[in-house]
């Protein structure tokens, strides 16, 4: 069973930056597709960014393109989400997710991920 632990959330002013980290344990991280999702209060969980096992292929939601960057360090079993030019509408709980069984399609589908972290709160003040 893969365990994912997110960190790096917090309170930031609009226009600021944060970097989220997600560290995996209990599996072979270097084989996993990894994704970041977010969920605002009373709303559905939405795709933010995804990255292939090698780190070569990435995918982003339109709402964060050009502002967010997903990356990974397989030696550290960690995936990152660098968030720049933050907006109040980016406020949400951010979740890290892993696909551990192999997948070759779009990373944006919530259902392809079989392991999830507990989430980290990101709050952007105006």
């Amino acid at each position: 069973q893969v365990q994912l632990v997110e960190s790096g959330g917090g309170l930031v002013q609009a226009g600021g930056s944060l970097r989220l980290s997600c560290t995996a344990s209990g599996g072979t991280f270097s084989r996993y597709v990894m994704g970041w999702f977010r969920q605002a209060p009373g709303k559905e969980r939405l795709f933010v960014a995804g990255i292939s096992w090698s780190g070569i292929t990435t995918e982003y939601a339109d709402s964060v393109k050009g502002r967010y960057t997903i990356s990974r360090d397989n030696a550290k079993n960690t995936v990152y989400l660098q968030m720049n030019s933050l907006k109040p509408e980016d406020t949400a709980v951010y979740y890290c997710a892993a696909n551990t069984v192999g997948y070759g399609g779009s990373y944006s589908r919530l259902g392809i991920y079989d392991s999830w972290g507990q989430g980290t709160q990101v709050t952007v003040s105006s």
Side-chain angles (χ1 to χ4, degrees):
Q1 182 74 20
V2 175
Q3 293 186 331
L4 304 173
V5 178
E6 301 100 333
S7 61
L11 174 64
V12 64
Q13 288 189 330
S17 298
L18 282 175
R19 188 176 82 154
L20 305 183
S21 300
C22 170
T23 300
S25 61
T28 308
F29 177 79
S30 60
R31 297 181 181 179
Y32 304 155
V33 167
M34 299 297 297
W36 284 98
F37 288 74
R38 66 186 182 186
Q39 188 167 20
K43 298 193 175 181
E44 63 182 330
R45 191 169 296 189
L46 297 176
F47 172 74
V48 174
I51 189 167
S52 62
W53 63 269
S54 66
I56 293 175
T57 302
T58 58
E59 186 176 348
Y60 296 92
D62 288 343
S63 59
V64 306
K65 269 180 192 174
R67 299 189 298 123
Y68 289 16
T69 302
I70 188 171
S71 61
R72 66 190 296 160
D73 185 337
N74 286 343
K76 296 182 178 179
N77 288 354
T78 301
V79 62
Y80 303 98
L81 187 68
Q82 177 66 43
M83 305 184 295
N84 298 329
S85 302
L86 283 161
K87 306 174 181 179
E89 52 263 43
D90 295 319
T91 295
V93 176
Y94 283 69
Y95 296 91
C96 170
N99 169 278
T100 68
V101 298
Y103 178 73
S106 170
Y107 302 151
S108 64
R109 292 177 54 205
L110 188 147
I112 71 164
Y113 298 94
D114 50 85
S115 296
W116 291 84
Q118 82 289 349
T120 185
Q121 177 70 47
V122 171
T123 302
V124 184
S125 63
S126 57

